[in-house]
Amino acid sequence: MSHHRSDVVEHALEVLDRHGLADLSMRRLAADLGVQPSALYWHFANKQALLAAVADEVLRRGRRPVTAGTWDEQVTAEARALRDAMLAYRDGAELVATALAFGLATEDPVARLVDLIGDIPAARVAATTIMHFVLGHVGDEQMNAQAASAGAIVDDPLTRADTFSTGLGIVVAGIAARRTADR
Amino acid sequence: MSHHRSDVVEHALEVLDRHGLADLSMRRLAADLGVQPSALYWHFANKQALLAAVADEVLRRGRRPVTAGTWDEQVTAEARALRDAMLAYRDGAELVATALAFGLATEDPVARLVDLIGDIPAARVAATTIMHFVLGHVGDEQMNAQAASAGAIVDDPLTRADTFSTGLGIVVAGIAARRTADR
DNA sequence: ACCTGAACACCGTTCAAGT
DNA sequence: ACCTGAACACCGTTCAAGT
């Protein structure tokens, strides 16, 4: 029986979550779908395009409506939603980071952050700074989680949530300083 | 004739700079050295260890003595030095990011930043936030540089240096707010 | 519209053996 | 101390052909 693009993405998400990004190969995914590797190339031009579609789906599923509040509350909420979206799938941060870096994602979380930060000249730089922070922090979190599950280190989720808040607070405070300076 | 560990790293740096991280394979590097792929495993346990050694060398070559000045001037100078170090080699940021993420690097730029930020509870989080910013920004820069050399986009080095300064200023301002709050 | 079959040009890693 | 030779178990991608 035949598959859609969306079936492939759905299956890729499962392989990702169960085995990690390193094991998400075209050949393994094809085997998982009961299909030849070459069949995937009817749906996607190449592996990067497939991964971009998967990253988009991760971001789409994590999207939250904009909350009421001041700009900094909104930016903070958006950053937390992005963190949750990426934490929901194994290696989510690395996946999203590469998709964004290659410019293949259609979801654009940076654009949403730019809107929330508001009309200052540095809005774009500020938004990508937030995004870099979130990607970097969650990337570290997921690395540590993996090391911990391998028994290499002890991992405290409470501490991780705490450092995220503190780091995010630092960046948001920096943007606040910019905003008052720029008007 | 026989090689040292250091010869291998040196050669890897050349392959990296000429062909990029994606083309830096054990087999290609071995061919470049005039040696069988298996020979590399006498020098390094695996590819990750080899890449960590290369990342260490990139960081080592970019290291600068601590300058005089206030803490924020020193942190800014250190962040700029890290940027320059990674910009000096093609895909330097991605290389260093993965080495640091896997915890295999012996160079520890975050520890240096912690020292410069000083004795506040959030020093470690603040330092990794700076590091995430630098890695993310330079990673984007090197992606764009590659896209530009492929003729896909126009790339203005002046703008890139400018966004780096602005973004760094935001994070440093955020840390400054923390420092005054925490004492 | 969706897939097979077969091929091409690659990977990282191990291990006994050589000098 | 440093390397060869050969093998193992993989990759992504292309393309003619099938239904």
Side-chain angles (χ1 to χ4, degrees):
Chain A
M1 110 272 28
S2 69
H3 305 93
H4 273 112
R5 222 175 174 278
S6 58
D7 301 327
V8 179
V9 171
E10 179 61 43
H11 244 87
L13 239 14
E14 275 163 39
V15 174
L16 175 70
D17 214 29
R18 254 205 292 276
H19 308 282
L21 188 57
D23 286 357
L24 178 49
S25 67
M26 298 299 266
R27 295 180 105 103
R28 187 192 231 286
L29 176 57
D32 223 75
L33 281 159
V35 111
Q36 294 294 318
S38 49
L40 297 176
Y41 291 83
W42 193 89
H43 298 281
F44 299 94
N46 49 43
K47 190 183 181 182
Q48 257 183 32
L50 183 271
L51 290 182
V54 178
D56 270 331
E57 186 61 20
V58 168
L59 289 172
R60 228 189 40 73
R61 293 188 183 183
R63 224 163 43 186
R64 298 286 172 263
V66 177
T67 54
T70 56
W71 73 269
D72 55 316
E73 287 167 344
Q74 291 180 317
V75 167
T76 301
E78 179 72 11
R80 284 184 190 289
L82 284 168
R83 172 172 179 257
D84 293 342
M86 298 189 301
L87 280 179
Y89 293 91
R90 168 124 75 127
D91 296 334
E94 201 186 334
L95 174 78
V96 169
T98 57
L100 291 181
F102 280 87
L104 297 172
T106 54
E107 288 286 320
D108 189 357
V110 173
R112 293 167 60 90
L113 288 166
V114 168
D115 287 347
L116 298 176
I117 290 166
D119 196 18
I120 57 167
R124 176 128 223 116
V125 195
T128 67
T129 301
I130 294 266
M131 195 69 213
H132 287 150
F133 166 74
V134 176
L135 289 170
H137 197 278
V138 180
D140 282 357
E141 289 185 62
Q142 290 180 321
M143 276 283 168
N144 286 357
Q146 205 166 341
S149 79
I153 58 167
V154 276
D155 181 44
D156 181 359
L158 283 177
T159 304
R160 292 195 271 125
D162 207 57
T163 60
F164 183 81
S165 287
T166 307
L168 182 57
I170 285 172
V171 182
V172 171
I175 298 173
R178 262 272 142 179
R179 274 175 53 106
T180 50
D182 279 7
R183 58 184 57 197
Chain B
M1 110 274 24
S2 69
H3 304 93
H4 274 112
R5 220 175 176 278
S6 57
D7 300 327
V8 179
V9 171
E10 178 63 43
H11 244 88
L13 240 15
E14 275 163 39
V15 174
L16 175 70
D17 215 28
R18 256 205 291 275
H19 308 283
L21 189 57
D23 285 356
L24 179 49
S25 68
M26 297 301 265
R27 295 180 106 102
R28 187 193 234 286
L29 176 57
D32 223 74
L33 280 160
V35 113
Q36 295 293 319
S38 50
L40 297 176
Y41 290 83
W42 193 89
H43 298 281
F44 300 94
N46 49 43
K47 189 182 182 181
Q48 258 183 32
L50 184 270
L51 289 182
V54 177
D56 270 332
E57 186 62 20
V58 168
L59 289 171
R60 227 188 42 73
R61 293 189 182 182
R63 224 162 47 186
R64 299 286 171 261
V66 178
T67 54
T70 56
W71 72 270
D72 54 317
E73 288 167 343
Q74 290 181 318
V75 166
T76 301
E78 180 72 12
R80 284 184 190 289
L82 283 168
R83 173 173 180 256
D84 292 342
M86 298 187 304
L87 280 179
Y89 293 91
R90 168 126 73 128
D91 295 335
E94 201 187 335
L95 174 79
V96 169
T98 58
L100 291 181
F102 280 88
L104 297 172
T106 55
E107 289 286 319
D108 188 358
V110 173
R112 292 167 61 90
L113 288 166
V114 169
D115 287 347
L116 298 176
I117 290 165
D119 197 18
I120 58 166
R124 175 128 224 116
V125 196
T128 68
T129 301
I130 294 266
M131 196 68 215
H132 287 150
F133 166 74
V134 176
L135 290 170
H137 196 278
V138 179
D140 282 357
E141 289 185 62
Q142 290 181 322
M143 276 285 168
N144 287 357
Q146 204 164 343
S149 80
I153 58 168
V154 275
D155 181 44
D156 181 358
L158 283 177
T159 304
R160 292 194 273 124
D162 207 57
T163 60
F164 183 82
S165 287
T166 307
L168 182 58
I170 285 172
V171 182
V172 170
I175 298 172
R178 261 274 141 179
R179 273 175 54 107
T180 50
D182 279 7
R183 58 185 58 198

